[in-house]
Amino acid sequence: MSRPVLVTLLLIFATIPYRVLPMLFIGDRKFPPFINSLFYYIPFAVLSALVVPDVLSATGNAHTALCGAIAAFAVSCFTDSSFYAMLLSVIAAYAAFWLGL
């Protein structure tokens, strides 16, 4: 068995308990509305926690990366296009690099 397949199988078996055990213990229990509203925000919080450190270290310089992130945020506030947000963030990061920020 090749190493990538073995690692993938080990990771699958390591994460199964974390996915299955809550379903076994919680079952059909109903949660209060406040707790359900918190569950709604968990994916957004996890995604932010995973993405933000990588965004700020993407260029090797926090200032240029922050310029790109601000540009992407500004474009995403006014349009629904991920392509334009990514394009403008790359342009802004390079412009900040060339300007010496």
Side-chain angles (χ1 to χ4, degrees):
M1 186 177 306
S2 68
R3 185 176 172 94
V5 173
L6 181 64
V7 169
T8 303
L9 289 175
L10 287 174
L11 288 173
I12 288 171
F13 289 118
T15 60
I16 284 176
Y18 298 108
R19 296 169 189 241
V20 173
L21 288 178
M23 289 188 288
L24 291 176
F25 289 120
I26 294 173
D28 294 332
R29 237 182 252 172
K30 299 291 183 190
F31 291 106
F34 176 71
I35 300 297
N36 280 335
S37 68
L38 290 179
F39 288 150
Y40 175 78
Y41 295 106
I42 287 175
F44 302 110
V46 170
L47 183 64
S48 300
L50 291 172
V51 169
V52 168
D54 288 334
V55 167
L56 293 179
S57 65
T59 62
N61 183 348
H63 297 292
T64 58
L66 189 60
C67 288
I70 290 170
F73 179 75
V75 171
S76 65
C77 285
F78 297 109
T79 67
D80 290 335
S81 175
S82 297
F83 174 75
Y84 291 127
M86 288 186 285
L87 180 67
L88 189 66
S89 69
V90 169
I91 292 170
Y94 275 115
F97 176 74
W98 287 326
L99 292 173
L101 296 177

